[in-house]
Amino acid sequence: MSVTCVFGMQWGDEGKGRVVDLLAAQSDIVVRYQGGANAGHTVVVGEERYVLHLLPSGAIQPRTLNVIGNGVVVDPWTLVREVDELEARGVRIQGRLKVSDRAHVVLPYHKRMDVALETLRGADALGTTSRGIGPAYGDKMRRAGLRTADLLKPGRFEPLLRGNLAAWNAILDRAGLEPVDVAAEVAAMTEIAGRLRPLVADTTALLGDAWRAGRRILLEGAQGFALDVDHGSYPYVTSSSTGPSGVSAGTGLPPRALDRVVGIVKAYTTRVGAGPFPTLDTGLAGRHMAQRGHEFGATTGRPRACGWFDGVVARRAVATQGVDAAALMKLDVLSGLPELQVCVAYELDGRRLDAPPAWAGDWETCRPVYETWPGWEEDLGAVRRFEDLPAAARRYVRALQDLMGTRVEMISVGAERERFIALPGGVPDEVAA
Ligand code: IMO
Ligand code: MG
């Protein structure tokens, strides 16, 4: 299959970077199509641990071309730092990176605005990553954004910036924050533009040509389905279309270019930031997941809240995004829990719901309907074949596969590249749930 999309099916942090790194070994081009530096994708190679925020996780593989598509909001300073850091660690990026000339730019003022808007929301704050994502997409959608193409034309970005800041400075003032100094912002942009210039290209044309030539293209989603601006727990979401539905808009590839969609899902659920989380477990099990799974945000370092597998969310992701196969991550983390709960539906005001409710307030008060599965004691780190998993683990995976309605074709049992079980065709039928 030549064009594959990998995306998260929960609230982010599913392990997308790890799967992208694996699949990138058989890809020519790896592409980010949405989100920005709010992402934190971790790839572990031997003793080395890489955390990528803007570069596609495929960058760690030596031969891929890496593309940041038009749908991404690019913080040029973060991008340049990431490139420099990887180069310093011996990962060659120069000559292997292209940034869309249509991608919108995240400026320092967007980050200040992100903080200001959160402050003004008070108790209703979303818990954003403070990376300027909402304000940058906001400027884009109200047609006042700055794109990388503008950044390269000095006469172009200054008036745009002045126009925007006139309005934003009033809001910063209300939040008790310093106004943005236009001259300083212009100077900073002029400086960074020089670094960006050699990277900027018409990536739409580049990707279209590559697709028609049959090159292998891997599309890397950031965040996850439940954070999708349309399908997620709005307003406790990010500002982009996180799944394959965002690929065409965010790259210029036609929707029918996609050959295969791989949904990434953790064997339990985590969340950072505010908003609904019906399967949250604040007891022993949640602490077990947090500790064994090292559940701390790769971008902000915030502890991730942990809980049981939410089948309502995963099923909705499969149904709306057209998933061909699922990769089930961090199964090893569940070892040692005597019993595992799996949320098969929600209950709201005495009614059973098979899909998440539209209103976040309802979603927040939903009670999970659980099925209970026996756990297992064995450490899974050394298991490389599905048959070698403990029977209880095989049944658990089967139950999740049935619940999601898509085949589980990969299982991760540890952070290192090789700690992986390949399962072409999914869990066989003879494994009873
Ligand atoms: P990866 O790609 C987990 C969450 C934030 C907040 C909400 C809005 O590593 O899975 P934003 O800064 O996007 O405006 O924040 O979205 N969030 C993520 N949570 N993983 C991510 O990325 C996230 N990116 C944003 O915590 O709740
Ligand atoms: Mg992350």
Side-chain angles (χ1 to χ4, degrees), residues 102-171:
R102 270 85 164 170
H104 283 249
V105 178
V106 180
L107 297 168
Y109 87 81
H110 289 122
K111 291 193 256 189
R112 303 264 296 274
M113 285 303 304
D114 200 347
V115 175
L117 292 171
E118 285 281 271
T119 307
L120 292 172
R121 277 190 199 107
D124 297 326
L126 307 175
T128 72
T129 59
S130 315
R131 296 299 185 272
I133 304 301
Y137 276 116
D139 277 358
K140 171 178 175 172
M141 288 312 186
R142 64 183 191 90
R143 294 152 298 178
L146 282 94
R147 308 196 293 180
T148 56
D150 298 311
L151 201 57
L152 302 186
K153 287 200 193 315
R156 171 96 184 110
F157 68 72
E158 191 166 338
L160 270 173
L161 188 65
R162 280 189 189 281
N164 285 348
L165 287 179
W168 292 144
N169 272 343
I171 296 177

Side-chain angles (χ1 to χ4, degrees), residues 73-85:
V73 288
V74 180
D75 175 343
W77 291 271
T78 302
L79 181 67
V80 163
R81 194 180 334 118
E82 207 158 285
V83 169
D84 290 348
E85 280 173 13

